[in-house]
Amino acid sequence: MAAGCGARRPRGPLLLLLLLLLLGRPATAAGGGPAPQSPGAGVRMFTPFHFLVEPEDTLSVRGSSVTLNCSAYSEPPPKIEWKKDGTFLNLVSDDRRQLLPDGSLFISNVVHSKHNKPDEGYYQCVATVESLGTIVSRTAKLTVAGLPRFTSQPEPSSVYAGNNAVLNCEVNADLAPFVRWEQNRQPLLLDDRVVKLPSGALVLSNVTEGDGGLYRCVIDSGGPPKYSDEAELKVLPEPEVPSDLVFLKQPSSLVKAVGQSVVLPCVASGLPAPVIRWVKNEETLDTDSSERLVLLAGGSLEISAVTENDAGTYSCVADSGNETIEAQAELTVQAHPEFLKRPASLYAHESMDIVFECEVTGKPAPTVKWVKNGDMVIPSDYFKIVKEHNLQVLGLVKSDEGFYQCIAENDVGNAQAGAQLIILEHDVAIPTLPPTSLTSATTDHLAPATTGPLPSAPRDVVASLVSTRFIKLTWRTPASDPQGDSLTYSVFYTKEGTARERVENTSRPGEMQVTIQNLMPATVYIFRVTAQNKHGSGESSSPLRVETQPEVQLPGPAPNIRAYTTSPTSITVTWEKPVSGNGEIQNYKLYYMEKGTDKEQDVDVSSHSYTINGLKKYTEYTFRVVAYNKHGPGVSTQDVAIRTLSDVPSAAPQNLSLEVRNSKSILVHWQPPPPTTQNGVISGYKIRYRKASRKSDVTETLVAGTQLSQLIEGLDRGTEYNFRVAALTVNGTGPATDWLSAETFESDLDETRVPDVPSSLHVRPLVTSIVVSWTPPENQNIVVRGYAIGYGIGSPHAQTIKVDYKQRYYTIENLDPNSHYVITLKAFNHVGEGIPLYESAVTRPHTVPDPTPMMPPVGVQASILSHDTIRVTWADNSLPKHQKITDSRYYTIRWKTNIPANTKYKNANATTLSYLVTGLKPNTLYEFSVMVTKGRRSSTWSMTAHGTTFELVPTSPPKDVTVVSKEGKPRTIIVNWQPPSEANGKITGYIIYYSTDVNAEIHDWVIEPVVGNRLTHQIQELTLDTPYYFKIQARNSKGMGPMSEAVQFRTPKASGSAGKGSRLPDLGSDYKPPMSGSNSPHGSPTSPLDSNVLLVLIISVGVITIVAVVIIAVFCTRRTTSHQKKKRAACKSVNGSHKYKGNSKDVKPPDLWIHHERLELKPIAKSPDPNPIMTDTPIPRHSQDTTPVGTSSDGSTHQRRNSYRGHESEDSMSTLAGRRGMRPKMMMPFDSQPPQQSVRNTPSTDTMPASSSQTCCADHQDPEGATSSSYLASSQEEDSGQGLPTAHVRPSHPLKSFAVPAVPPPRPPTYDPALPSTPLLSQQALNHHLHAVKTASIGTLGRSRPPMPVIVPSAPEVQETTRMLEDSESSYEPDELTKEMAHLEGLMKDLNAITTA
């Protein structure tokens, strides 16, 4: 029923309209209502989406072509892209790389040089299905063999006949497969006697004379061959004398993967010819009976299809009978990652917790990372890696839906396994069987709940027990169900300040308490409780804010902690279980620290002992243990100190120097090794010396550990000696110094007098030091034992320093800046000091730096000002309290966003304590930090502040708009689209515009609002074989974005004539007869006679209309009663704010057409849509689609209070919905109300007077604003400034402005004289057939316009209109209606007579 007096019309036009409907209304096709969906339609099946072929590691050569295979399966087929080294390849503009139809990557003419390697790297195949998700393949390495180069080439050699020979040819490992050999420049054929090793070397066993010749190796990698030098192999006759047994080729340690082949080379030479045997782990290998072990020519061992059991130490033993030699090599076998347990696809509801399990094996142990829709999952509070490899997601939200992949990787390779997560609506049960094999019982189980009253909110929700890690909640039953025995409850909770919500359900029906575990201590949580019955989930309780208690129940210290040294680099620590564990001990943490440092390290331990390796030798460490239980860390033990065992020194003594005393003695000086390398107490030093002229015997001298010099006497005159010194501990001798040489004097120098004056003295002053350099005296025959340096301010005698005779410079430290120093230099010997040399210098001045270090700014805050501007403010603790900047300091602000993750910082400078950051992206989280700079000093970056810019209206239209016809329903189409690329906020809805005229003004297009972020919508009741144009507009909380380009779609043609089983197109109130030239139903042009008949018909209709207006005017003047006056007075008092605001010419009179601005038929509630993706807008045409007349008094009271103001409360809606057993479906502006709310009108005995009282007022409003119907009342109150587009009546015909409801089937009418009624709608309500029509209005920025042009007669005077409106409130008596119908029938007979004539 319409909520306004625009619904009231005079009787004459109304009767005419009813007659036309009876004569021309086509029969409603069967099944016109929405098709019922089978139970379980709300559960989406898991989509098969996986790789059929994944790329493999590939070796290529320069200039060749490479194909990296990749193929993925999905319906629809996925889009394949490729990544190289983590970056997507742009294959559109690449002329060398192209995507093959199956998804493989083809690279032609591989490029590779020393400085340009564009093709070599790691490749990954990425498969994407729109609206489904993305998966990534394993990573494949493309290796391009380098330029052909030889690291070693064959050399000429000779070999005795019957012996073995090896010709080396070492190349890069990538090129080894491309090596071949030539003998005398002819290709060499390989056989059991001549083999090529994997390194490229050639082995010839049991050499014959025919093996002699010139050999060279060739690298043939596709380009021009690369030849090595030629080497001649001479074959000598077999000698009679035995020769020594030597290895020509020894095995080397190798690392191989499972399944590969390995060759352990071993070739020996000697006479008699040796016999080769292999030993593994002290057991001789039987190569004769094994299929995988083969002994190659010369004795090399080949193992095919290596397994992990083949790992170990292999020894090659060569035995010639006279002697035996042995060589060892270690074979390490690695294994590719393999999945022991793959992730399984999951169904879940929002707020639930899930775990994807993933077990892998491999050698070395693989590392596991998780990927969601192709992006790396970063562990956080809600995404956690548990049990080493499993992914746990807490508090699911809708955006968590998609494909998750477990990627395992080690040194050998990588592998991936994926699973899909589907988040179901809360009213859809989680399937108990795999979705691929759903049975009918499962499908029934998944059916949505039956329609009925939902429970109200639980009462008195309290936290009855609050601990550190858990909270117990209790509540009372809802007021709607005091017993509550069959109710179950869900507790939703979230940490304050976070968006993710988790859920905990009660264990059995009727239970009214639940305990939430695994909370954090001293943390605030928000709780709410909902009740569920068989019809679904009810209202939520008010949020309850609870803070957990701080942690108290912690383990005590672990008793009896002891430490034992087991080696110079390891210590074992043991302890016992704490006496007061306060629960089960989960693990221990062992802390240790080197004494004298402040860097403490820790390791997690699950047992009561642990051995720490890799410690420093002979170093003291302290240890302590902390036990952990479920509450966290307990009390630490006391520190235990112990020193590692000593070892031989790991470094040589330092600063070795030699002083020649005379012709027969040299004094040796040294310093101990660095303290960290002594590895114990130095017990002594070992001095070794020898003559340098020839390799003479070495003489050793031992001195005590505290002695740092030793005089070596008894040397030869004029002889050079080499000296080296090594340190000793109780464990042995450490490394020695390098040899240092000194030569004894030829003859003893004169030391009977003091030395001469030094030949020169130079000084270089610095701020607090002076560098002094000099040259020795010119007379070299006098012994110089050293130099004495004196210095002081104004006098050189304040300080004196003596240095070695070999020293030529010295730096005087700790001087005063900007001071005048006098410096003297004298040479001395045992006789005394020589003549001094003087020099003076002035040290440089020094600016005293500010001793206070720069502190980073504090209190950084980000204040959001707009969608692209954030103001950053901070405080500077180094400033005075008034924070006034008086020096030249400045601040640097940096900011970035984490989307994408590799975004770089942007910087700006400021001289105040705030900065305005502009040019930001809307609805984006930014982080900010600040540093201060003063002169050359800068602080570190401050703590970060975060801010999210405001949303902005979308700046791009929705993408990929497509329109398709619905199968089996040619009058229904489905519109699909994708969100705009620049949404600038959360999309809250869309508006679909459509019209048959692409050039029509936008306010003349019909609109369909879509609530939320849905990307598909269906529109029904369109005209067959008609072109429509569609545009879509996105909306967020800030308003509407631009429209998309118009998309044309022609509805299909009718499948047959409008006979049985078909329905003719609707001809609505806006339908106009075809113009001249249009085809008749039989396809022939309209004749002139038809035109005359049409003209007569138009004139007749005009005459009838004038007569009807006159009749109405008479009724209006006669039917005014005191009862109607009271209604008008009540209407004015109630709706005083809706007074008429325009002038008389703005008033549109009633006419033949019903003005859709003033008549609003509410959508009648119906059962919930089983398909949550589609939002259909049908026009019901059957009695089962309508709402029956309600008779309850509370329902009528509710309608009087809410139905006509467009602002229903949520409680009243849920109550009404529960009583009717249906949910309303409506069209509304976005963000104004929840999707379940609607403005509903159910005719009843008590609602008619309310309708009448509203009617009298609504007609006084400005007709231009009349489109603001009750649908939009609440939204306009909340967001009037947004200018929300409003909806108008969606026509079923392209040119109809109002869909006329069908006349109900004839049945005996029953009249109640006590019931007032209204034209059209009241009559239908009495017959229990209310046909709902979706209504809306269209407009932008608050302007409301009629949706389609309507021909309106000229308006009568205001007084006449008022009388007509007053008269329209009277009720029609049955006899009056019969008279009017008879009169109208007479007029129609006259009209037929005129047309016949």
Side-chain angles (χ1 to χ4, degrees):
M1 179 176 290
C5 51
R8 294 289 186 179
R9 292 288 177 243
R11 275 187 299 177
L14 178 60
L15 296 177
L16 179 61
L17 180 60
L18 290 174
L19 181 61
L20 291 176
L21 288 174
L22 288 171
L23 296 175
R25 181 69 176 176
T28 304
Q37 297 197 10
S38 61
V43 177
R44 289 180 289 132
M45 302 304 172
F46 292 124
T47 305
F49 189 15
H50 55 270
F51 285 101
L52 300 175
V53 180
E54 294 186 70
E56 299 287 341
D57 294 346
T58 305
L59 173 65
S60 179
V61 296
R62 185 176 62 170
S64 66
S65 298
V66 176
T67 300
L68 297 174
N69 294 318
C70 178
S71 177
Y73 172 78
S74 176
E75 288 295 339
K79 173 187 176 184
I80 301 295
E81 297 176 289
W82 282 86
K83 281 184 177 181
K84 177 183 179 291
D85 298 332
T87 304
F88 280 100
L89 292 175
N90 182 11
L91 302 178
V92 177
S93 58
D94 199 327
D95 54 352
R96 290 191 309 104
R97 291 182 281 214
Q98 63 181 8
L99 192 66
L100 300 181
D102 65 343
S104 301
L105 179 64
F106 177 75
I107 305 175
S108 61
N109 190 20
V110 172
V111 176
H112 190 83
S113 64
K114 183 177 181 181
H115 301 291
N116 184 28
K117 303 176 181 179
D119 295 332
E120 192 174 69
Y122 292 89
Y123 288 80
Q124 191 175 41
C125 179
V126 181
T128 303
V129 176
E130 289 295 337
S131 73
L132 186 61
T134 299
I135 57 175
V136 296
S137 71
R138 68 176 299 276
T139 302
K141 183 180 181 181
L142 174 60
T143 305
V144 182
L147 297 175
R149 289 192 181 90
F150 297 96
T151 55
S152 70
Q153 302 194 42
E155 297 178 353
S157 60
S158 58
V159 59
Y160 292 107
N163 219 322
N164 299 328
V166 175
L167 295 174
N168 289 319
C169 178
E170 294 184 8
V171 297
N172 189 299
D174 299 331
L175 293 170
F178 304 101
V179 172
R180 59 181 178 85
W181 282 87
E182 292 183 354
Q183 180 186 15
N184 298 325
R185 304 202 172 183
Q186 296 296 321
L188 180 64
L189 299 179
L190 304 179
D191 52 26
D192 294 339
R193 197 177 57 83
V194 180
V195 296
K196 185 191 76 169
L197 297 179
S199 64
L202 184 67
V203 177
L204 298 94
S205 64
N206 193 19
V207 174
T208 63
E209 290 184 3
D211 293 328
L214 297 175
Y215 286 83
R216 68 178 181 182
C217 63
V218 185
I219 302 177
D220 195 356
S221 59
K226 178 81 172 180
Y227 296 92
S228 70
D229 298 336
E230 286 188 326
E232 183 179 5
L233 177 66
K234 294 183 179 179
V235 180
L236 305 178
E238 184 175 348
E240 298 179 358
V241 181
S243 62
D244 294 336
L245 186 61
V246 295
F247 278 117
L248 300 179
K249 198 76 173 177
Q250 296 189 41
S252 58
S253 296
L254 294 174
V255 178
K256 290 290 182 178
V258 172
Q260 294 181 335
S261 296
V262 61
V263 174
L264 295 171
C266 183
V267 181
S269 174
L271 286 176
V275 176
I276 302 294
R277 61 185 174 90
W278 285 88
V279 177
K280 177 195 173 187
N281 299 334
E282 300 180 354
E283 292 185 5
T284 302
L285 298 177
D286 185 5
T287 57
D288 296 330
S289 60
S290 175
E291 297 180 356
R292 295 192 307 110
L293 304 179
V294 177
L295 204 61
L296 302 178
S300 297
L301 177 66
E302 181 181 23
I303 308 174
S304 58
V306 172
T307 66
E308 293 189 46
N309 295 331
D310 293 329
T313 302
Y314 289 79
S315 299
C316 174
V317 181
D319 188 357
S320 64
N322 297 330
E323 61 177 319
T324 301
I325 57 176
E326 181 179 349
Q328 290 185 342
E330 187 79 17
L331 175 61
T332 303
V333 178
Q334 297 180 337
H336 286 82
E338 291 185 1
F339 288 97
L340 300 177
K341 189 172 187 179
R342 294 173 173 266
S345 296
L346 298 175
Y347 284 113
H349 289 144
E350 286 189 85
S351 303
M352 286 180 58
D353 303 338
I354 63 165
V355 174
F356 284 111
E357 295 183 346
C358 180
E359 290 186 26
V360 294
T361 183
K363 189 175 181 182
T367 59
V368 169
K369 61 183 179 181
W370 284 85
V371 170
K372 178 204 169 189
N373 288 335
D375 296 327
M376 185 81 66
V377 173
I378 300 175
S380 63
D381 289 344
Y382 295 95
F383 287 85
K384 296 182 178 181
I385 304 299
V386 295
K387 295 183 179 179
E388 296 184 3
H389 299 152
N390 297 342
L391 176 66
Q392 183 181 39
V393 186
L394 304 178
L396 289 175
V397 295
K398 191 66 176 177
S399 59
D400 292 335
E401 199 173 65
F403 282 87
Y404 290 77
Q405 290 177 274
C406 175
I407 299 181
E409 184 175 10
N410 62 8
D411 297 339
V412 187
N414 59 88
Q416 60 84 22
Q420 184 180 5
L421 171 63
I422 294 181
I423 297 180
L424 303 173
E425 298 295 333
H426 279 291
D427 56 355
V428 179
I430 295 177
T432 56
L433 294 178
T436 54
S437 59
L438 284 177
T439 63
S440 59
T442 306
T443 307
D444 293 338
H445 174 67
L446 297 176
T450 58
T451 306
L454 301 175
S456 58
R459 297 174 291 175
D460 301 337
V461 179
V462 294
S464 59
L465 182 59
V466 179
S467 181
T468 55
R469 298 277 176 166
F470 69 90
I471 290 177
K472 182 178 180 181
L473 294 180
T474 59
W475 56 87
R476 290 173 54 211
T477 57
S480 61
D481 194 349
Q483 297 298 325
D485 296 335
S486 62
L487 296 180
T488 59
Y489 299 90
S490 295
V491 178
F492 296 87
Y493 65 98
T494 180
K495 189 188 300 184
E496 189 175 52
T498 61
R500 284 182 179 266
E501 193 173 48
R502 302 179 63 186
V503 64
E504 186 81 21
N505 298 319
T506 55
S507 57
R508 62 181 183 274
E511 186 177 17
M512 290 180 291
Q513 65 179 21
V514 73
T515 301
I516 308 298
Q517 304 279 356
N518 300 321
L519 302 179
M520 297 297 294
T523 305
V524 177
Y525 290 87
I526 309 297
F527 297 88
R528 63 183 182 89
V529 185
T530 62
Q532 293 94 26
N533 60 13
K534 61 181 180 180
H535 305 304
S537 179
E539 294 180 53
S540 171
S541 65
S542 299
L544 176 65
R545 186 178 183 271
V546 184
E547 182 175 3
T548 53
Q549 295 180 358
E551 190 69 85
V552 287
Q553 297 182 357
L554 301 174
N560 299 327
I561 179 172
R562 293 184 176 88
Y564 308 93
T565 55
T566 54
S567 74
T569 59
S570 61
I571 292 176
T572 299
V573 184
T574 62
W575 61 89
E576 296 178 4
K577 184 178 179 181
V579 178
S580 57
N582 288 328
E584 181 183 356
I585 301 298
Q586 294 181 342
N587 70 313
Y588 298 90
K589 186 160 285 191
L590 174 61
Y591 295 87
Y592 62 97
M593 179 174 62
E594 181 183 344
K595 198 166 185 179
T597 65
D598 57 356
K599 184 179 180 181
E600 190 174 45
Q601 303 179 66
D602 62 82
V603 61
D604 289 327
V605 184
S606 58
S607 60
H608 292 155
S609 66
Y610 190 79
T611 300
I612 300 178
N613 299 307
L615 302 178
K616 295 181 179 179
K617 299 176 181 179
Y618 199 69
T619 303
E620 188 173 0
Y621 287 87
T622 60
F623 298 87
R624 65 185 182 93
V625 175
V626 176
Y628 280 70
N629 63 9
K630 63 180 180 179
H631 302 305
V635 183
S636 173
T637 62
Q638 296 293 328
D639 288 352
V640 174
I642 191 171
R643 186 185 296 273
T644 52
L645 298 177
S646 62
D647 199 0
V648 296
S650 54
Q654 306 177 88
N655 301 330
L656 176 64
S657 63
L658 304 177
E659 178 186 341
V660 181
R661 301 302 294 265
N662 51 45
S663 60
K664 291 189 176 182
S665 63
I666 294 178
L667 183 63
V668 183
H669 293 273
W670 64 89
Q671 292 295 323
T676 57
T677 62
Q678 294 179 11
N679 301 336
V681 178
I682 300 296
S683 59
Y685 294 92
K686 184 182 291 185
I687 303 173
R688 297 181 179 183
Y689 62 93
R690 67 187 182 191
K691 292 181 180 180
S693 59
R694 57 186 175 86
K695 299 294 183 179
S696 60
D697 294 335
V698 177
T699 304
E700 290 187 356
T701 300
L702 295 178
V703 297
T706 57
Q707 187 175 336
L708 298 177
S709 65
Q710 176 68 25
L711 182 63
I712 307 298
E713 298 180 309
L715 304 178
D716 296 340
R717 293 175 180 269
T719 304
E720 183 179 6
Y721 285 87
N722 293 334
F723 292 83
R724 68 190 308 180
V725 181
L728 287 78
T729 63
V730 293
N731 303 89
T733 305
T737 63
D738 293 334
W739 291 101
L740 186 64
S741 61
E743 186 177 355
T744 55
F745 297 141
E746 189 69 34
S747 59
D748 293 336
L749 296 178
D750 182 12
E751 202 171 1
T752 59
R753 52 179 178 161
V754 299
D756 289 347
V757 63
S759 56
S760 67
L761 173 63
H762 302 279
V763 294
R764 183 165 63 91
L766 300 176
V767 178
T768 59
S769 61
I770 296 177
V771 180
V772 182
S773 59
W774 62 89
T775 55
E778 294 180 356
N779 186 357
Q780 300 288 327
N781 295 323
I782 302 175
V783 176
V784 176
R785 300 294 180 185
Y787 297 92
I789 303 172
Y791 64 94
I793 297 177
S795 171
H797 307 297
Q799 298 283 344
T800 300
I801 297 173
K802 291 187 176 182
V803 298
D804 187 78
Y805 76 98
K806 289 185 176 181
Q807 202 157 334
R808 293 296 179 263
Y809 69 91
Y810 183 79
T811 301
I812 305 173
E813 303 282 357
N814 300 322
L815 303 182
D816 296 333
N818 198 24
S819 301
H820 185 276
Y821 284 87
V822 178
I823 301 165
T824 180
L825 178 69
K826 295 175 288 187
F828 66 88
N829 55 21
H830 292 318
V831 177
E833 295 180 348
I835 303 173
L837 193 62
Y838 292 89
E839 191 64 76
S840 63
V842 178
T843 53
R844 298 179 184 178
H846 177 54
T847 57
V848 180
D850 188 358
T852 305
M854 296 295 289
M855 299 293 294
V858 298
V860 181
Q861 294 184 350
S863 303
I864 295 87
L865 301 183
S866 68
H867 66 276
D868 64 348
T869 305
I870 293 180
R871 180 181 295 279
V872 184
T873 58
W874 59 90
D876 191 344
N877 282 346
S878 61
L879 292 176
K881 288 185 178 180
H882 55 71
Q883 294 285 290
K884 187 175 182 181
I885 302 173
T886 58
D887 49 24
S888 60
R889 71 180 66 199
Y890 65 92
Y891 303 90
T892 302
I893 304 95
R894 70 176 184 181
W895 65 91
K896 65 170 285 191
T897 177
N898 291 328
I899 302 175
N902 57 356
T903 306
K904 296 182 178 179
Y905 280 102
K906 293 185 179 180
N907 296 276
N909 294 333
T911 56
T912 60
L913 295 178
S914 66
Y915 183 76
L916 205 63
V917 182
T918 59
L920 304 179
K921 296 180 180 178
N923 193 40
T924 304
L925 175 64
Y926 287 87
E927 67 174 35
F928 303 87
S929 53
V930 187
M931 67 179 290
V932 59
T933 302
K934 180 181 177 183
R936 296 183 179 180
R937 298 186 306 128
S938 297
S939 72
T940 57
W941 289 104
S942 69
M943 296 182 68
T944 58
H946 296 80
T948 303
T949 51
F950 292 149
E951 294 186 359
L952 181 67
V953 296
T955 53
S956 66
K959 304 180 298 183
D960 305 336
V961 181
T962 59
V963 183
V964 296
S965 178
K966 188 170 184 179
E967 185 177 356
K969 293 187 177 182
R971 290 167 57 110
T972 300
I973 59 95
I974 299 176
V975 185
N976 302 304
W977 64 92
Q978 291 297 318
S981 56
E982 297 175 2
N984 298 336
K986 180 182 178 182
I987 296 299
T988 57
Y990 297 88
I991 288 185
I992 303 174
Y993 295 78
Y994 65 94
S995 173
T996 56
D997 183 4
V998 72
N999 298 319
E1001 293 293 334
I1002 194 61
H1003 60 262
D1004 292 334
W1005 290 50
V1006 184
I1007 71 168
E1008 286 280 346
V1010 179
V1011 178
N1013 56 0
R1014 295 176 175 174
L1015 302 178
T1016 183
H1017 186 75
Q1018 73 177 18
I1019 300 175
Q1020 301 185 5
E1021 302 300 327
L1022 300 181
T1023 303
L1024 299 176
D1025 195 19
T1026 302
Y1028 287 86
Y1029 299 88
F1030 295 85
K1031 297 182 180 180
I1032 302 184
Q1033 193 176 26
R1035 169 182 168 75
N1036 58 19
S1037 63
K1038 291 299 181 181
M1040 308 300 302
M1043 294 185 185
S1044 64
E1045 294 293 329
V1047 175
Q1048 182 184 4
F1049 180 81
R1050 177 180 286 274
T1051 52
K1053 297 182 180 180
S1055 58
S1057 60
K1060 183 177 179 181
S1062 65
R1063 185 173 65 184
L1064 294 175
D1066 292 339
L1067 302 178
S1069 58
D1070 282 0
Y1071 176 77
K1072 299 178 181 179
M1075 303 302 289
S1076 60
S1078 63
N1079 292 338
S1080 67
H1082 300 287
S1084 60
T1086 305
S1087 65
L1089 181 58
D1090 292 338
S1091 301
N1092 294 334
V1093 172
L1094 182 61
L1095 180 59
V1096 172
L1097 182 60
I1098 293 174
I1099 296 174
S1100 302
V1101 171
V1103 172
I1104 294 172
T1105 303
I1106 295 173
V1107 172
V1109 170
V1110 173
I1111 294 173
I1112 291 169
V1114 174
F1115 271 103
C1116 288
T1117 56
R1118 196 173 54 187
R1119 300 282 297 183
T1120 302
T1121 64
S1122 60
H1123 177 68
Q1124 299 298 333
K1125 293 179 181 180
K1126 291 180 181 181
K1127 287 186 178 182
R1128 288 198 299 274
C1131 177
K1132 292 179 181 179
S1133 62
V1134 173
N1135 297 321
S1137 60
H1138 298 282
K1139 293 181 179 180
Y1140 173 71
K1141 298 180 180 179
N1143 51 31
S1144 61
K1145 66 180 181 180
D1146 293 329
V1147 179
K1148 295 182 179 179
D1151 54 40
L1152 181 62
W1153 310 109
I1154 298 178
H1155 291 295
H1156 52 268
E1157 296 101 329
R1158 305 188 181 183
L1159 173 61
E1160 183 178 24
L1161 299 182
K1162 298 298 188 273
I1164 303 305
K1166 62 184 213 177
S1167 59
D1169 186 359
N1171 188 351
I1173 299 177
M1174 292 291 185
T1175 303
D1176 57 341
T1177 59
I1179 298 180
R1181 303 190 183 277
H1182 296 288
S1183 59
Q1184 60 266 31
D1185 292 336
T1186 64
T1187 304
V1189 176
T1191 59
S1192 61
S1193 60
D1194 63 333
S1196 62
T1197 305
H1198 162 73
Q1199 294 223 352
R1200 281 195 296 271
R1201 184 173 63 253
N1202 293 323
S1203 293
Y1204 305 100
R1205 299 301 298 269
H1207 194 74
E1208 288 188 338
S1209 66
E1210 194 174 28
D1211 293 341
S1212 62
M1213 283 304 302
S1214 62
T1215 303
L1216 188 60
R1219 186 165 60 252
R1220 300 299 179 200
M1222 299 182 178
R1223 284 195 312 188
K1225 178 181 289 187
M1226 64 164 292
M1227 299 157 53
M1228 65 176 71
F1230 312 120
D1231 287 346
S1232 61
Q1233 296 176 353
Q1236 290 81 5
Q1237 273 193 336
S1238 72
V1239 180
R1240 183 188 318 188
N1241 181 29
T1242 304
S1244 69
T1245 57
D1246 292 331
T1247 57
M1248 301 307 172
S1251 173
S1252 300
S1253 64
Q1254 290 291 332
T1255 301
C1256 65
C1257 297
D1259 223 323
H1260 291 284
Q1261 299 176 4
D1262 186 358
E1264 196 65 21
T1267 54
S1268 300
S1269 63
S1270 60
Y1271 275 137
L1272 306 176
S1274 62
S1275 64
Q1276 288 174 345
E1277 290 175 11
E1278 295 172 6
D1279 195 10
S1280 59
Q1282 297 296 332
L1284 301 179
T1286 56
H1288 73 76
V1289 177
R1290 179 178 58 77
S1292 59
H1293 186 278
L1295 297 179
K1296 286 173 64 177
S1297 66
F1298 187 84
V1300 182
V1303 175
R1307 57 179 292 179
T1310 59
Y1311 297 99
D1312 186 356
L1315 289 177
S1317 59
T1318 59
L1320 180 64
L1321 296 181
S1322 305
Q1323 297 296 328
Q1324 293 175 354
L1326 291 170
N1327 287 284
H1328 294 252
H1329 287 277
L1330 176 61
H1331 294 270
V1333 180
K1334 289 195 176 285
T1335 67
S1337 75
I1338 191 166
T1340 57
L1341 299 178
R1343 290 185 59 191
S1344 301
R1345 299 186 180 91
M1348 289 288 182
V1350 180
I1351 301 174
V1352 181
S1354 59
E1357 294 300 327
V1358 179
Q1359 293 82 356
E1360 182 182 349
T1361 305
T1362 305
R1363 288 194 301 270
M1364 287 190 290
L1365 293 175
E1366 293 173 353
D1367 187 52
S1368 66
E1369 302 201 9
S1370 61
S1371 302
Y1372 291 111
E1373 296 297 329
D1375 56 342
E1376 292 178 350
L1377 184 60
T1378 305
K1379 293 177 181 179
E1380 292 295 332
M1381 292 294 291
H1383 180 61
L1384 184 59
E1385 185 177 359
L1387 292 176
M1388 291 302 296
K1389 290 180 180 179
D1390 295 340
L1391 179 61
N1392 289 334
I1394 295 174
T1395 55
T1396 304

